[in-house]
Amino acid sequence: MTNFAATKPMFTLPEGMIYLDGNSLGPLPKAAPAAMEKVMRDEWGEMLITGWNRAGWMDLSTSVGDRIARLIGAEPGHVIMGDTLSVKVYQALASAVALNPGRKVILSDNGNFPSDLYMAQGLIRTLGQGHELRVVDPEAVEESITDEVAVLMITEVDYRTGRLHDMKRLTEMAHAHGVVTVWDLAHTAGATEVKLAECKADFAVGCTYKYLNGGPGAPAFIYVSPRHVDVAEPALSGWLGHEAPFDFDLDYRPAPSIERMRVGTPPVLGLTALSAALDVWDMADMGDVRKKSQDLTDMFITEVEARCPALTLASPRDRDARGSQVSFRFAEGYAAMQALIARGVVGDFRAPDVMRFGFTPLYIDEADVMRAVEILADVVNNDLWDRAEYKTRAKVT
Ligand SMILES: *Cc1c(COP(=O)(O)O)cnc(C)c1O
């Protein structure tokens, strides 16, 4: 059993703050600053260039990848770290498209995060082969999986509403039609029980600064199924994905493993902070995390609906149909969220009217939920949001 009372004090959370935004940026693991200092002083400072060998920097992308593999149900040796999620989306999609050369349709849904769609649009322009990005309603994905589709590119959880797609079912349907799947786990890695191997997912990508608590701009990950890893063509054929980077050949030959999805030099400092976060994850079982997150989100929905009649639930009511966030619609949602933040309850806002609250069992418990609802009810029922200072939009909402 995961001991959540033991994981909570492993994070730095400002006194009095209830942090319900771990779905956007996880908090600082208390051990991370010392881990960073050690790598900076003892490794970078003392070893300099020899750190690549002596401190094992070059192996970090795969060793950290293996620690993430456990959390997303992937086979060991099939996850590698690097770059940001948008870049990994491009890479996975390019390789997936190349596996289905006769087909021209990339299928996604309008609940996807825009960056994934933008990357697909950019890839299509670069390929110049007349591919089409077909974006349908989330409910229409199943019926749109046809023999025309090359790749199904889906983000499991809708960032606005928290709606969760059924990975197993959609992957089975895709495979029945010869479609290759790319799954974006941005809002599920560290939030739900992802089972990539069991679902026979083809490619998956995700970021590590949200539920995984790796820190702002932490490196992303990419998974390639053992069925494809030796044939997947890397579109971003950087030197560290080469079979023998230090031969300095003038021609590219991909490494015969997940290493081909490396592009350039590993982000050692980012991987160091992420490793400290994964030390906390080593204490967690994803089944326990998922169960507790469902309990917390159910509790939040019940309490908010009972005490804040002006708010409308935008997330699925069925706990198995949503991720680890709960969204409520409220016309003055932006101002209300600013008023909440001013009172120590930190969620975020997504246009046009969605107030978003993320639930992260490693450091959020039932008492936090009850206190957050109390403050939310005060803000909404007493119009405490109705002040000019809460209505000016900042750059990041
Ligand atoms: C958060 C998120 C991103 C962000 O991509 P970055 O390159 O890390 O900025 C992309 N896609 C999805 C689905 C996300 O939720």
Side-chain angles (χ1 to χ4, degrees), residues 56-364:
W57 292 341
M58 204 43 100
D59 300 324
L60 273 178
S61 308
T62 46
S63 61
V64 171
D66 277 340
R67 299 178 76 186
I68 287 178
R70 179 183 79 83
L71 302 174
I72 56 175
E75 300 88 343
H78 287 82
V79 175
I80 194 162
M81 312 304 300
D83 315 296
T84 75
L85 175 52
S86 303
V87 174
K88 276 2 213 176
V89 167
Y90 186 93
Q91 258 189 318
L93 188 58
S95 295
V97 164
L99 286 175
N100 241 342
R103 302 186 183 193
K104 295 284 187 248
V105 175
I106 297 168
L107 178 63
S108 192
D109 72 63
N110 54 30
N112 206 341
F113 189 75
S115 197
D116 297 38
L117 302 177
Y118 301 161
M119 294 312 276
Q121 290 161 9
L123 174 66
I124 287 171
R125 275 196 301 277
T126 305
L127 291 174
Q129 296 169 8
H131 285 87
E132 173 202 342
L133 175 62
R134 194 172 288 170
V135 180
V136 301
D137 289 339
E139 301 74 28
V141 169
E142 286 192 9
E143 69 200 45
S144 306
I145 299 173
T146 63
D147 291 354
E148 224 190 335
V149 176
V151 177
L152 174 65
M153 178 182 78
I154 295 286
T155 295
E156 253 193 308
V157 164
D158 183 320
Y159 72 103
R160 277 205 196 91
T161 63
R163 179 218 14 83
L164 176 66
H165 272 303
D166 184 338
M167 179 187 285
K168 186 151 201 188
R169 183 176 162 83
L170 289 179
T171 304
E172 268 170 19
M173 293 179 76
H175 289 171
H177 288 275
V179 176
V180 179
T181 55
V182 174
W183 287 96
D184 189 327
L185 312 180
H187 294 277
T188 38
T192 68
E193 261 192 295
V194 182
K195 297 177 175 169
L196 289 178
E198 191 184 310
C199 293
K200 300 195 164 55
D202 298 288
F203 294 84
V205 293
C207 52
T208 60
Y209 50 79
K210 293 174 181 164
Y211 289 95
L212 293 173
N213 312 316
F221 63 85
I222 182 166
Y223 162 83
V224 182
S225 153
R227 298 187 303 281
H228 306 307
V229 76
D230 296 334
V231 289
E233 275 176 34
L236 304 175
S237 41
W239 72 301
L240 284 180
H242 192 280
E243 184 177 16
F246 287 88
D247 283 1
F248 298 104
D249 260 351
L250 294 188
D251 291 311
Y252 181 78
R253 285 192 318 278
S257 69
I258 191 68
E259 305 237 9
R260 67 177 54 197
M261 292 298 164
R262 277 185 197 271
V263 182
T265 303
V268 173
L269 299 179
L271 289 168
T272 299
L274 174 58
S275 295
L278 291 171
D279 290 344
V280 183
W281 279 107
D282 283 348
M283 299 166 60
D285 170 81
M286 278 316 304
D288 296 341
V289 171
R290 174 62 168 156
K291 165 79 173 51
K292 175 106 190 248
S293 132
Q294 291 184 315
D295 291 347
L296 294 175
T297 48
D298 271 352
M299 183 180 189
F300 185 73
I301 291 172
T302 305
E303 293 296 323
V304 172
E305 290 194 318
R307 299 171 65 177
C308 311
L311 268 52
T312 313
L313 182 65
S315 297
R317 200 170 286 284
D318 172 7
R319 53 159 57 195
D320 292 326
R322 63 170 191 262
S324 204
Q325 70 177 66
V326 174
S327 302
F328 278 95
R329 292 191 193 284
F330 181 53
E332 293 294 340
Y334 182 80
M337 186 53 77
Q338 304 320 303
L340 269 183
I341 294 171
R343 288 162 178 79
V345 178
V346 180
D348 63 16
F349 173 81
R350 288 294 175 262
D353 60 356
V354 172
M355 298 177 75
R356 202 166 65 146
F357 304 90
F359 294 86
T360 47
L362 291 189
Y363 53 88
I364 291 295

